[in-house]
Amino acid sequence: MDKQIETNPLIDRLPPHLKQFIKPQNYNDYSPINQAVWRYVMRKNVSYLSRVAHNSYLKGLDMTGISIDTIPSMYGMNRILKNIGWAAVAVDGFIPPNAFMEFQAYKVLVIASDIRQLENIEYTPAPDIIHEAAGHAPIIANPDYAEYLRRFGEIGAKAILSAHDNDMYEAVRSLSILKEATSSTPEDIKKAEALVNELQNKKVPLSEIAKIRNLHWWTVEYGLIGTVEQPKIYGAGLLSSIGESKWCMTDAVEKRQYSIDAADIEFDITQPQPQLFVTPDFAYLMEVLEEFSGTMALRKGGFRGLQKLIDSKKIGSIELNTGLQISGVFTEMITDEDNNVVFFKTEGPTALANREKELIGHGTEANPNGFSSPIGKLKGISLAIEDMRPRDLKAYNFYDGKRISIEYESGITIEGLNVTGIRNVFGKLILIEFEDCTVQYKDKLLFSPDQGTFKLAVGSSIISAFAGAADYRSFDNLYHISETRTVQKPKSKTTLELESLYKNVSDIRQSTYDTIAIHNIFSTILDNHKNDWLLSLELYELTTKHDKNLSQTILNHLEDLKTKRPEVAHLITNGLELITN
C-alpha cells in the first residue's frame, strides 16, 4: 500500500471490501494552480469563518495538521489524526453511500483527493480535498462531534437502499466528474444534469439510505449550531464553500430547528440550499440519530424490513429471534394474514452467521444457489423449536437419522430425514439439516429432494433487517465499484506555461523578491493569459511591499478584469480585501 496511507493503524483494521476504494494521493499531481486555489480558499475561509464558524474549527485546523498555504498530504494528516483517534484515506470521488458510512464507523475520513478547478473555486458538486480535508477534518477534533460521526457511520452502513438510490448514485457521480473534467462539453454536462434532475423529480418513497443521507446532509454537510437567531457553521459543505458560507448567514436562507423531520427534506446538490437546520449542540445530534435508528428495519425487522431488502436487490441480512443471521440477495417472502413472515428466500451466494460471525461450513460456498426456509410456530405445539432441550426433541420425535414430518401454523409442511442440528452459545437450536426433504405450502412446492440438503432456519420471527452482510468476510463483492472514473485530460502548452508561472510566483513568495522575474511574469500574463485573475492577485500581493508602480499597474489590470469578467469580480474583490487586511 502507498506510504501515504501507511501511518495510521486504523487503516490496517479496515476490511478488504473497504480497502478496495483506497487510492494513492499522488501528491505530485497537484499543479501550482491547484495549490493557488487551495491557498485562496483557505485564506478566505479562515478570515471569514473565524467569525461565523463553531469554535472547534480554527482549533481543529491546527490539531489535524491542515496548512493554509499548501494542500495537505495524507501522510501528514494521518500522522496527526492518529492523536485524536481518527485516520484518513484518499478515494476516487463519490463512493457508494453504505461504504462511505462504513468508513466513518471505523473512524476513517474518506477524502476525495482531487481538487476543484479554478473555474469552480467557490463550489463544486464533486467531493474534493478542500471539502473533505478543510471541511470535515477540523470539526472532528471536537470529541462530541467525532462520536456522532462514528455512530452515524455505524447506523448508516446498515441502512437499506433502493434500486432508485443505485441509479441516483451513478448519476450524481457522473455529473460530479463531468463538472470537474476540463474535457467536458456543455452538452455533456447539460445531459448529466438533466438525468440527475429527472431522478430527483421522481416521486418515489424515500428509502432508509435516502432518509439517513438527508440527515447527513443537513448536519455533517450543511449543519448550523447554536440558535436559529445566531447560528454558527459546522457543516463541511459550508466550511469549504467561500460563496455559500457567506450566503447561508443572510436572511435569504431560512433557518429551522433541527429535528428528525429533516430526514424527509431532500436536497439538490447543484443548487445553494434554500433552508438549513440548526442544532443547539452536538449532543442533540446524537438524540435525533438514535430516534431515527428506532424507525429502521435494523431495529424493527418484520415483513417491512424484509420487503425493503427485496426491493433493494442488494446483499442484505436478516436476523431471527434465535440469533441466526442470513445474508444474501433476498427475492421472495410469504406472509400470513397478520403480515408475519412465514417463509423467505434468497438467490445466489448466501451465508449463515451468528453474532456477526459466519457459521463454519455455512458460507457462500455451501449455499451458492441461495437459501430458503419457513419460520414461525409449529402447529399444535406450544414450545418453540429453539427452546426444545434434547428431552423435548425426543418427545416430539425429533431424532437424528429418523424421518420426521412437521407442520407450521402457517400451513407450511416439512417432511424429510433429520440429519443434525446446530445450537448457539446459549444452547438454542438455530439450524436443522434434512436430507431427502420436501417443503410445501398449500399447492406450492418450496423445496424438493433433488435440490440437495435442506437447512431449516430455526426461529419464529425476523427481529432485524439491514444492508450488507452479517459477517463482512462472507462476500468478496459486498460493494460494487463504479465503472465511471475521474478524467485526467492531457494539458495544453498554454496550460503548462500558466502552471509554470504559478510555480515561479510561489517560489518567489517563499524565497527572495525578484523584480525582473516579477515584471517578466506579468508581461507574459498580459500577452498569453490575460483572463487569469488569481495569478495577478498573487503578483499584486507580492508587489505591494516592493514595487508600488508595478503594484498599481497590476491593480488596474485586476479592475479591468472585474469589468470584462463580472462572474469573477467578487472573487477579485475578496482577494484584494484579504491582501489589504
Side-chain angles (χ1 to χ4, degrees):
M1 191 172 291
D2 189 272
K3 78 166 191 174
Q4 294 171 325
I5 53 173
E6 266 182 359
T7 58
N8 196 309
L10 287 174
I11 297 170
D12 296 332
R13 291 174 43 201
L14 291 172
H17 66 272
L18 292 181
K19 285 184 177 179
Q20 67 177 336
F21 292 104
I22 300 174
K23 72 167 193 175
Q25 185 185 19
N26 296 328
Y27 194 87
N28 291 334
D29 287 350
Y30 295 123
S31 73
I33 299 177
N34 295 151
Q35 295 286 0
V37 167
W38 172 273
R39 184 170 179 265
Y40 178 93
V41 172
M42 290 303 296
R43 292 176 74 196
K44 183 61 185 171
N45 277 0
V46 170
S47 171
Y48 173 67
L49 293 174
S50 60
R51 303 191 300 273
V52 299
H54 186 264
N55 57 22
S56 296
Y57 176 72
L58 292 180
K59 181 181 177 183
L61 283 177
D62 291 334
M63 291 182 66
T64 50
I66 296 173
S67 164
I68 291 174
D69 290 320
T70 56
I71 297 170
S73 75
M74 303 297 291
Y75 180 83
M77 281 189 66
N78 267 305
R79 185 164 37 82
I80 297 172
L81 281 172
K82 183 166 59 176
N83 296 329
I84 58 175
W86 280 72
V89 295
V91 298
D92 181 34
F94 283 112
I95 64 174
N98 291 97
F100 179 86
M101 298 289 181
E102 194 174 354
F103 269 109
Q104 280 185 196
Y106 281 93
K107 302 180 78 172
V108 175
L109 281 179
V110 174
I111 293 180
S113 57
D114 294 326
I115 187 168
R116 66 195 64 177
Q117 296 180 66
L118 178 57
E119 291 76 14
N120 298 329
I121 194 168
E122 286 193 283
Y123 171 78
T124 175
D128 76 334
I129 196 164
I130 293 178
H131 172 83
E132 309 288 1
H136 285 295
I139 302 297
I140 65 168
N142 181 291
D144 284 342
Y145 181 76
E147 175 55 20
Y148 168 71
L149 204 61
R150 184 204 66 80
R151 180 66 175 149
F152 199 107
E154 197 170 51
I155 292 172
K158 302 291 187 183
I160 301 170
L161 47 66
S162 67
H164 176 75
D165 296 318
N166 292 326
D167 295 339
M168 193 70 199
Y169 161 68
E170 291 290 350
V172 168
R173 177 177 166 84
S174 295
L175 173 61
S176 69
I177 289 171
L178 286 170
K179 284 250 184 177
E180 284 299 321
T182 56
S183 58
S184 299
T185 65
E187 291 75 22
D188 292 335
I189 294 174
K190 188 175 181 180
K191 184 177 179 181
E193 285 179 336
L195 178 57
V196 169
N197 289 331
E198 178 187 342
L199 291 170
Q200 284 181 333
N201 292 331
K202 275 189 175 181
K203 300 301 180 184
V204 297
L206 293 178
S207 66
E208 285 184 354
I209 198 68
K211 288 187 175 186
I212 206 162
R213 187 176 59 232
N214 289 342
L215 291 181
H216 195 270
W217 183 265
W218 299 123
T219 61
V220 176
E221 298 293 352
Y222 277 79
L224 299 175
I225 188 167
T227 65
V228 170
E229 296 74 25
Q230 290 185 311
K232 296 286 188 180
I233 296 172
Y234 74 90
L238 296 174
L239 292 174
S240 61
S241 171
I242 58 179
E244 207 157 0
S245 61
K246 213 164 191 175
W247 189 68
C248 78
M249 286 297 173
T250 69
D251 293 336
V253 179
E254 180 188 356
K255 316 298 190 301
R256 300 183 187 178
Q257 192 68 43
Y258 181 61
S259 71
I260 195 173
D261 295 338
D264 295 315
I265 308 297
E266 296 189 83
F267 56 88
D268 183 349
I269 68 164
T270 66
Q271 300 294 329
Q273 307 311 311
Q275 78 283 305
L276 296 174
F277 293 86
V278 187
T279 182
D281 49 47
F282 289 137
Y284 183 69
L285 296 179
M286 192 72 82
E287 286 185 36
V288 174
L289 177 61
E290 292 302 326
E291 182 182 357
F292 177 78
S293 67
T295 69
M296 294 172 61
L298 175 67
R299 300 273 181 89
K300 288 184 169 292
F303 82 96
R304 289 187 179 87
L306 181 52
Q307 186 61 57
K308 290 177 181 179
L309 289 180
I310 293 172
D311 293 341
S312 76
K313 301 177 183 178
K314 293 282 188 180
I315 294 171
S317 301
I318 61 172
E319 181 174 338
L320 305 184
N321 61 309
T322 57
L324 180 66
Q325 297 166 314
I326 300 95
S327 301
V329 178
F330 289 85
T331 58
E332 184 182 340
M333 69 173 167
I334 298 173
T335 59
D336 63 16
E337 58 188 15
D338 295 320
N339 282 328
N340 298 309
V341 178
V342 296
F343 177 84
F344 64 85
K345 182 179 181 181
T346 69
E347 286 186 1
T350 304
L352 309 182
N354 179 234
R355 303 177 78 178
E356 287 72 51
K357 186 176 181 180
E358 183 179 287
L359 296 178
I360 296 173
H362 295 280
T364 55
E365 69 286 345
N367 307 288
N369 301 314
F371 181 90
S372 64
S373 177
I375 57 174
K377 296 179 180 179
L378 296 180
K379 186 176 182 180
I381 300 177
S382 59
L383 188 63
I385 298 176
E386 60 267 25
D387 293 327
M388 291 183 180
R389 314 306 295 180
R391 184 178 297 177
D392 300 316
L393 291 171
K394 184 176 181 180
Y396 291 108
N397 295 318
F398 278 80
Y399 287 99
D400 288 350
K402 301 286 187 180
R403 296 197 71 81
I404 187 173
S405 178
I406 57 176
E407 183 178 358
Y408 284 82
E409 289 182 345
S410 62
I412 295 176
T413 60
I414 299 176
E415 198 282 325
L417 182 66
N418 185 358
V419 178
T420 187
I422 296 177
R423 295 181 182 271
N424 64 19
V425 70
F426 302 108
K428 289 182 177 288
L429 268 174
I430 59 174
L431 194 70
I432 300 176
E433 294 187 25
F434 294 86
E435 290 183 355
D436 190 26
C437 185
T438 300
V439 182
Q440 194 153 343
Y441 177 64
K442 297 179 179 177
D443 296 329
K444 185 176 182 180
L445 186 64
L446 302 177
F447 192 92
S448 59
D450 61 342
Q451 292 177 261
T453 299
F454 176 71
K455 300 174 184 179
L456 173 66
V458 178
S460 56
S461 62
I462 297 172
I463 63 170
S464 181
F466 52 91
D471 185 340
Y472 67 79
R473 290 161 291 203
S474 296
F475 295 86
D476 295 329
N477 58 340
L478 196 55
Y479 295 129
H480 166 70
I481 294 184
S482 175
E483 296 179 359
T484 311
R485 292 286 182 269
T486 50
V487 180
Q488 297 294 336
K489 183 184 178 184
K491 296 175 182 178
S492 67
K493 184 178 179 181
T494 302
T495 300
L496 291 173
E497 181 186 57
L498 185 59
E499 288 182 356
S500 177
L501 296 177
Y502 271 90
K503 178 68 166 61
N504 292 340
V505 170
S506 176
D507 291 342
I508 293 171
R509 186 172 58 245
Q510 296 173 47
S511 56
T512 305
Y513 186 83
D514 187 331
T515 302
I516 296 175
I518 293 291
H519 276 268
N520 289 337
I521 291 169
F522 186 56
S523 295
T524 307
I525 290 174
L526 294 179
D527 291 340
N528 302 332
H529 310 284
K530 60 180 64 178
N531 284 326
D532 185 276
W533 60 272
L534 183 54
L535 185 55
S536 294
L537 261 181
E538 296 208 335
L539 280 180
Y540 175 70
E541 182 177 18
L542 283 175
T543 57
T544 50
K545 294 180 180 179
H546 299 280
D547 189 334
K548 295 297 183 182
N549 290 331
L550 180 57
S551 176
Q552 184 60 49
T553 302
I554 296 173
L555 181 59
N556 293 339
H557 171 64
L558 287 167
E559 293 297 335
D560 287 342
L561 269 179
K562 287 165 68 173
T563 302
K564 294 174 181 176
R565 298 191 62 195
E567 74 277 9
V568 299
H570 64 293
L571 296 172
I572 295 173
T573 299
N574 290 340
L576 292 172
E577 288 175 356
L578 275 175
I579 295 168
T580 303
N581 294 334

